[in-house]
Amino acid sequence: MKTTGPTSDQEALGDQPQFSILLPPPNVTGRLHMGHMLNQTEMDILTRWRRMSGFRALWLPGTDHAGIATQMMVERQLTAEGTSRQKLGREAFVERVWEWKRHYGGAILDQMKRLGASVDWSREYFTMDERLSVAVREAFVKLHEQGLIYRGAYIVNWCPRCQTAISDLEVVYDEHKGHLWEIRYPVHEDGRETGEYLTIATTRPETMLGDVAVAIHPEDERYRHLHGKKLRLPLMNREIPVILDEWVSREFGTGAVKVTPAHDPNDFALGERHHLPSINVMDDTAHINENGGAYAGLDRYVARKKIVEDLEAQGLLAGIKDHTHNVGHCDRCKTIVEPRLSTQWFVKIQPLADKAIEAVEKGHVRFTPEMYAKTYFEWMRNIHDWCISRQLWWGHRIPAWHCAVCHKITVARQDPTNCAHCNSDQITQETDVLDTWFSSGLLPVSVFGWPNITPENRADFDTFYPTSLLVTGFDILFFWVARMIMLGCWFSVDVPMPDGSPRPLSESVPFREVYIHALVRDANREKMSKTKGNVIDPIEIVKQYGTDAVRFTLASMASPGTDIAFNVARTEGYRAFANKIWNAARFLFMNVDRAAEVGIKGPFEILRGHGKISLINLPFIGGEGIPMEDRWIVAMLYKTAGQVNDALDNYRFDEAANEIYQFFWGSFCDWYLEIAKLRLNFSPTPSREELMQREPTSEEERALDGNSRAARALGVFVFVFEASLRLLSPFMPFLTEELWRAVFDGEPPAKSVALSRFPRPRVASTGSEPIFEQMEVLQALVIEVRALRKEVGVEERATIPIELRADAQLAKLAKENHDIIERLARVTEIRFVETITGGLSKHHTASFDVAVVYERTIDVAAERERLTKDIAKYEKGLAAAERQLGNEGFLSKAPTQVVEGLKKQEAETRLLLKKAREALDNLPQDENQASEA
Ligand SMILES: [Zn+2]
Ligand SMILES: [Zn+2]
């Protein structure tokens, strides 16, 4: 997202850049899952960050009426009540669905509210709202007027449970262990059987009831003598022709293919080529219909069983082979899909697709990760006409009326009373509704007022269209993303640019960027699924760890193209981070109280008094005499803000979260606050009167100096803490809101931290680079001393002197900041030396040598016991080795290297024994007396 932010706080509102983003509308029937939580966390972080960076940010929420899913939900309820939608009738059923929606439809948005989603709830939409329905109708009528909508009989994927056509994208294929039935069709000549058979193979024997031919390859030598012959269709006793078609594969099955145009897309094409009739043998529920002879009324699988039995009885079953093949299931209800001829409405997709391809080719829409552009092109370049009709009751009913007199169709913006062709009033509305994606594909234009855009109400469209970004999952790239691009580019051209000029393609696209988010998997990188039982419920996890910690976990792992292995151990870690922030706040307020007790309100007043939060130019940031830790932490803050901005600009949520984490926990809490504690000492201040009566060098005056030092440290503390809250706010909105209000003692300069300014990177003061370097050296020194202390066993609380060999520059730095080193590494004194005293444990780095001066005290009794044990062990080992080496038989048989190894081991043990005996001799005799090791 390479949008440039405003350059100054004073920028005019009119030039305010916009950031708009559409929530992929969840189904009204939906419940929040981890995928939603990731996607919404990402959208929320980006929206909050843009808003805080001076953008006019809009995140627009809504829900989808989800035709099939919602209808199914209510149908289940009706079944449980012992009734059905058919018994209820269309009108009552639709009313019932609305009632369901009013009751339960808001659940998923309520869940979203828990996650802190900063959407504009005043703009919440539902795809069946009146306003959006107008857009759906206009789009349909317009496409019809443009000759881009037609109606025809084609093979569609039919779900017998949902009783509707479903799109190719809504069919999921599973590998299925089925059979290949081989059936003999008797050859007929002059109406009589010749005694010969042509054997065909099929995976769906029940469809044979609708066979109209058998096809063979014209060059298949096996069947050359059957050219022009006829066959008797078993069970139906219908005479059908043998046809020749090069499409037939000679290798598959027997090389002879039954042709059922009404139940298979390939057969349908064959039927068209050979002008064959189509016989539909099934009804909407996949029961055999009146065209199925004796099998009429049977369910498709019952019919299958009976047909196979009957064929066997008649000696027409040539064989049954095991056969593994892919079977399509309805994505919604998992019922096996039945390819079936049916009359549907289609959108002629080509002109729309071409424009949508061009828009991406020209870079008007960009994909992150980039590879999704390739997937998009592949699909768009092989796109089929879009079947937009569904045989459902819940949805946008197609605005077309059939005439009983002239049989023509009237499509209209207003419900007509008469046929547009013959003026008859014998018209009835189409019963089909539109595919759900037809309305959701229009959302980017319809939510901003299309098609009713007038000069008076066009502000929204002008401000927010094209939207800036779409964040979504790859699974709806075609369902939704591609269709929004097609419909957006097609219809937004209706709206000229604000200056009246025609809308170019670059301004017609529904969004400028598409960010495809990754999958959330379980801790073992397995896909979450109900069958595996590894599904994590975001609401449960939020209850357990808090929204902020869960959001931060997702952000800390989110980057383009990388799936997330969600591990609660990490969430625990980020809950600890949230606690760290609370503790820092507690420490801050404690110091504020202590300052107030001695009459210091300064640092706090500075924050509040400014009226707005940019207090970057506080006097203590630059200049001489300012403690280096103050200059350093402020410079670090700006540096971090820069890194977070860059990371978010590139969808590196992980980097952004980690920078903030390192800054707050590492730089701020572990280093800065530990150093600042040296100065955070408030002593009671004498009154002016008291002060006047005392000597100028008195204790009290020194206390006053101390207090002003403490006040300044507190000032920096408050300043950096408050800025950190703003930095953290897009990631952890709940905690930061609460603490931010507390920092301002209930009188914040903005309504919410979310409406304050995001910390912006800037050069803190001249020469911030040397500060980083200097601080790094000091940190390295402290780290080395801490490591040395551990190595030589200095007790945790003990303080010790150190020896330091350093060049003049570092020596100066260490002298100036000796109190920091002393405090953080528990050092009593820094001895600057030319060479480290021999015998001391030391560490060597590129810029210094350091050693701890430590005399270890030991427990003499324990040491004597240890040494005595060691000596006994060595003596035993030595005796064994000597015995073995003195054994002539062993020496003559053992390989040389074994003997050599044994000799080496003997020598080593002898040395260890000697050392242990010496150490024991050197232990003091009086056990109560500590000694030098
Ligand atoms: Zn279904
Ligand atoms: Zn008519």
Side-chain angles (χ1 to χ4, degrees):
M1 211 171 341
K2 296 287 172 217
T3 15
T4 352
T7 49
S8 79
D9 298 3
Q10 285 77 36
E11 199 154 20
L13 197 73
D15 299 331
Q16 194 184 15
Q18 68 91 9
F19 177 78
S20 53
I21 183 165
L22 227 61
L23 171 79
N27 289 351
V28 275
T29 52
R31 288 292 178 275
L32 215 65
H33 55 62
M34 279 312 260
H36 289 131
M37 173 118 198
L38 169 66
N39 153 321
Q40 294 181 7
T41 298
E42 291 176 340
M43 279 187 271
D44 198 37
I45 288 171
L46 293 173
T47 308
R48 286 172 180 273
W49 167 61
R50 287 293 184 200
R51 186 179 291 125
M52 290 178 74
S53 301
F55 283 70
R56 182 167 176 198
L58 170 66
W59 182 15
L60 212 149
T63 44
D64 194 294
H65 67 278
I68 300 187
T70 314
Q71 176 156 331
M72 206 168 93
M73 195 79 97
V74 178
E75 277 180 309
R76 272 193 203 140
Q77 276 189 351
L78 294 178
T79 309
E81 292 165 18
T83 178
S84 70
R85 77 179 155 102
Q86 286 81 1
K87 281 182 200 157
L88 236 57
R90 185 164 188 150
E91 222 170 285
F93 176 76
V94 169
E95 189 36 53
R96 177 73 191 252
V97 183
W98 275 111
E99 196 187 307
W100 181 92
K101 192 254 166 188
R102 281 190 289 271
H103 263 90
Y104 307 104
I108 191 155
L109 296 185
D110 288 344
Q111 289 182 316
M112 257 186 97
K113 286 175 191 163
R114 266 192 99 138
L115 306 185
S118 68
V119 299
D120 183 345
W121 293 108
S122 72
R123 290 174 181 262
E124 183 191 331
Y125 65 83
F126 178 54
T127 48
M128 293 269 282
D129 284 347
E130 179 56 30
R131 184 170 63 95
L132 300 192
S133 301
V134 168
V136 168
R137 185 146 183 179
E138 174 64 23
F140 184 92
V141 175
K142 197 152 211 165
L143 287 171
H144 189 261
E145 285 170 352
Q146 292 168 333
L148 296 176
I149 282 190
Y150 64 95
R151 188 167 181 257
Y154 293 89
I155 297 284
V156 294
N157 300 298
W158 185 268
C159 174
R161 215 282 335 157
C162 300
Q163 294 181 35
T164 177
I166 55 178
S167 84
D168 292 348
L169 296 167
E170 288 159 319
V171 180
V172 280
Y173 289 92
D174 283 345
E175 205 169 73
H176 179 79
K177 283 200 178 92
H179 300 287
L180 200 58
W181 285 273
E182 293 182 344
I183 307 168
R184 295 192 184 107
Y185 284 22
V187 179
H188 252 207
E189 208 162 7
D190 306 325
R192 286 197 319 277
E193 291 187 16
T194 63
E196 198 191 346
Y197 299 99
L198 181 55
T199 305
I200 60 93
T202 178
T203 56
R204 290 153 73 208
E206 64 281 7
T207 61
M208 71 177 285
L209 303 174
D211 282 2
V212 295
V214 170
I216 53 175
H217 194 280
E219 275 143 39
D220 194 334
E221 291 305 323
R222 292 172 293 179
Y223 303 127
R224 185 164 287 277
H225 63 289
L226 295 177
H227 291 191
K229 294 275 162 58
K230 295 228 151 60
L231 305 168
R232 178 174 66 84
L233 177 65
L235 311 178
M236 297 301 288
N237 295 324
R238 182 157 73 226
E239 201 167 67
I240 57 172
V242 173
I243 60 164
L244 308 178
D245 199 290
E246 288 181 348
W247 170 82
V248 178
S249 157
R250 276 168 282 185
E251 287 73 40
F252 181 77
T254 59
V257 179
K258 66 196 265 308
V259 181
T260 328
H263 292 276
D264 181 278
N266 292 314
D267 293 14
F268 181 76
L270 263 176
E272 295 269 282
R273 282 203 290 281
H274 296 270
H275 309 289
L276 299 167
S278 299
I279 303 174
N280 192 341
V281 296
M282 282 184 213
D283 65 13
D284 291 354
T285 61
H287 283 66
I288 306 297
N289 65 14
E290 67 282 2
N291 295 329
Y295 305 93
L298 297 181
D299 167 80
R300 55 183 164 167
Y301 299 120
V302 176
R304 175 182 293 182
K305 195 162 167 273
K306 185 140 199 326
I307 285 168
V308 172
E309 281 167 12
D310 291 351
L311 287 169
E312 193 162 25
Q314 295 177 26
L316 295 175
L317 190 67
I320 305 175
K321 287 183 179 151
D322 288 341
H323 181 66
T324 305
H325 60 135
N326 285 325
V327 174
H329 297 256
C330 169
D331 192 23
R332 285 285 155 214
C333 73
K334 312 303 168 206
T335 304
I336 295 180
V337 163
E338 193 66 39
R340 178 170 177 267
L341 187 66
S342 102
T343 300
Q344 303 287 344
W345 294 82
F346 293 85
V347 170
K348 213 183 245 177
I349 210 72
Q350 216 55 67
L352 283 78
D354 287 346
K355 247 184 150 180
I357 290 169
E358 190 191 341
V360 178
E361 276 173 346
K362 291 201 168 145
H364 303 320
V365 178
R366 288 179 302 274
F367 284 89
T368 304
E370 259 175 66
M371 61 164 185
Y372 286 107
K374 198 169 156 260
T375 319
Y376 169 84
F377 285 132
E378 267 169 30
W379 191 72
M380 291 297 282
R381 288 177 182 142
N382 295 296
I383 196 167
H384 297 292
D385 283 356
W386 175 14
C387 172
I388 49 169
S389 47
R390 296 292 181 268
Q391 289 64 51
L392 301 171
W393 286 353
W394 175 242
H396 296 99
R397 195 162 170 181
I398 291 180
W401 282 258
H402 300 275
C403 175
V405 178
C406 73
H407 302 292
K408 285 185 179 160
I409 290 170
T410 303
V411 169
R413 286 182 177 82
Q414 302 300 325
D415 288 7
T417 50
N418 296 81
C419 171
H421 309 280
C422 72
N423 206 36
S424 154
D425 61 359
Q426 304 282 299
I427 56 168
T428 46
Q429 190 175 359
E430 169 63 58
T431 52
D432 289 357
V433 299
L434 287 163
D435 178 7
T436 301
W437 301 99
F438 191 88
S439 49
S440 50
L442 287 166
L443 285 173
V445 288
S446 60
V447 291
F448 298 123
W450 183 88
N452 296 317
I453 291 177
T454 62
E456 290 73 42
N457 71 5
R458 59 175 297 159
D460 265 5
F461 199 94
D462 288 344
T463 309
F464 298 118
Y465 195 91
T467 59
S468 315
L469 173 69
L470 178 77
V471 179
T472 191
F474 73 91
D475 52 334
I476 52 172
L477 188 58
F478 308 130
F479 274 127
W480 195 47
V481 181
R483 279 160 185 170
M484 279 193 285
I485 300 176
M486 287 192 280
L487 297 177
C489 291
W490 198 257
F491 290 113
S492 68
V493 290
D494 289 0
V495 188
M497 298 301 289
D499 65 1
S501 61
R503 182 168 294 269
L505 187 60
S506 59
E507 298 300 312
S508 304
V509 293
F511 28 73
R512 302 195 190 278
E513 305 228 346
V514 179
Y515 176 70
I516 303 285
H517 67 75
L519 288 180
V520 185
R521 297 170 179 271
D522 76 2
N524 303 316
R525 299 209 155 272
E526 296 268 347
K527 227 172 152 170
M528 290 189 197
S529 86
K530 276 187 193 143
T531 29
K532 279 187 227 151
N534 61 347
V535 176
I536 298 172
D537 178 352
I539 297 299
E540 282 307 309
I541 206 100
V542 158
K543 272 187 202 158
Q544 217 177 330
Y545 296 99
T547 305
D548 287 333
V550 181
R551 286 173 60 117
F552 207 87
T553 309
L554 289 168
S556 75
M557 292 191 278
S559 71
T562 313
D563 282 355
I564 289 175
F566 191 89
N567 192 337
V568 287
R570 253 183 112 132
T571 314
E572 266 170 43
Y574 291 125
R575 184 172 57 182
F577 180 48
N579 285 338
K580 186 85 184 172
I581 302 166
W582 273 111
N583 290 338
R586 219 167 271 143
F587 183 59
L588 173 77
F589 298 139
M590 187 183 89
N591 278 287
V592 167
D593 288 348
R594 283 166 55 201
E597 276 167 25
V598 298
I600 298 170
K601 282 186 183 154
F604 222 47
E605 294 305 316
I606 292 170
L607 276 183
R608 208 164 31 204
H610 264 67
K612 67 178 183 173
I613 315 159
S614 38
L615 2 113
I616 306 301
N617 299 318
L618 288 178
F620 47 70
I621 301 312
E624 283 299 306
I626 305 302
M628 79 166 274
E629 66 268 22
D630 288 358
R631 282 179 289 136
W632 171 74
I633 195 65
V634 173
M636 280 301 282
L637 170 69
Y638 294 145
K639 189 177 167 193
T640 307
Q643 287 164 327
V644 171
N645 270 324
D646 288 348
L648 290 181
D649 233 341
N650 293 300
Y651 306 106
R652 293 303 304 258
F653 302 95
D654 56 342
E655 284 177 2
N658 294 330
E659 290 297 346
I660 295 175
Y661 181 90
Q662 296 300 344
F663 170 74
F664 193 87
W665 196 312
S667 304
F668 187 55
C669 292
D670 286 353
W671 290 100
Y672 180 75
L673 289 184
E674 286 307 314
I675 299 170
K677 277 177 190 169
L678 283 171
R679 289 151 60 203
L680 285 170
N681 295 314
F682 296 96
S683 328
T685 320
S687 71
R688 188 183 285 174
E689 253 173 47
E690 284 170 324
L691 201 64
M692 289 298 106
Q693 290 164 5
R694 288 170 195 205
E695 290 299 310
T697 51
S698 70
E699 191 75 11
E700 285 75 13
E701 197 185 21
R702 283 200 294 280
L704 188 62
D705 273 356
N707 282 349
S708 73
R709 263 164 38 103
R712 193 152 68 180
L714 183 57
V716 176
F717 185 178
V718 176
F719 171 73
V720 176
F721 183 76
E722 189 272 342
S724 302
L725 292 179
R726 285 182 280 127
L727 203 58
L728 267 162
S729 167
F731 298 83
M732 294 186 148
F734 291 100
L735 169 144
T736 50
E737 185 69 44
E738 217 172 312
L739 292 180
W740 190 73
R741 285 168 178 280
V743 165
F744 289 98
D745 211 7
E747 292 174 51
K751 255 191 189 161
S752 155
V753 64
L755 298 174
S756 68
R757 265 301 167 87
F758 197 72
R760 271 177 292 162
R762 58 177 85 199
V763 181
S765 58
T766 45
S768 57
E769 280 314 306
I771 299 178
F772 293 136
E773 272 172 40
Q774 289 169 2
M775 193 61 193
E776 266 168 39
V777 175
L778 278 187
Q779 286 174 327
L781 187 54
V782 168
I783 289 166
E784 294 301 342
V785 174
R786 284 173 180 167
L788 274 168
R789 292 173 58 109
K790 268 219 173 89
E791 275 171 35
V792 302
V794 182
E795 275 170 42
E796 190 79 5
R797 308 228 138 252
T799 53
I800 39 133
I802 59 169
E803 282 190 8
L804 180 64
R805 188 211 55 77
D807 60 24
Q809 216 184 340
L810 175 57
K812 182 170 174 276
L813 185 70
K815 269 179 200 146
E816 281 169 5
N817 297 287
H818 67 93
D819 48 352
I820 296 176
I821 300 163
E822 286 164 10
R823 177 179 165 84
L824 297 190
R826 294 187 186 279
V827 166
T828 48
E829 176 198 357
I830 306 169
R831 297 176 190 160
F832 293 92
V833 295
E834 286 299 317
T835 338
I836 302 288
T837 310
L840 289 180
S841 296
K842 67 175 176 182
H843 274 189
H844 173 78
T845 73
S847 43
F848 60 82
D849 291 339
V850 65
V852 294
V853 183
Y854 179 56
E855 296 170 346
R856 189 157 67 104
T857 55
I858 52 167
D859 178 337
V860 175
E863 193 63 6
R864 172 165 293 130
E865 197 184 325
R866 185 179 70 83
L867 288 170
T868 311
K869 268 188 193 160
D870 282 355
I871 289 165
K873 189 175 75 188
Y874 298 145
E875 281 170 347
K876 206 174 154 194
L878 200 59
E882 277 168 350
R883 238 190 344 271
Q884 212 154 20
L885 288 172
N887 181 338
E888 288 301 325
F890 167 77
L891 287 178
S892 63
K893 280 178 213 153
T896 337
Q897 63 266 39
V898 172
V899 178
E900 286 309 309
L902 203 62
K903 279 182 179 165
K904 209 175 146 200
Q905 199 187 328
E906 188 216 2
E908 275 169 15
T909 313
R910 200 179 292 281
L911 189 68
L912 286 170
L913 180 62
K914 182 170 169 270
K915 280 195 166 177
R917 280 180 180 150
E918 279 169 11
L920 187 64
D921 288 347
N922 287 338
L923 281 181
Q925 293 309 306
D926 180 9
E927 294 190 358
N928 295 322
Q929 186 192 323
S931 154
E932 240 177 80

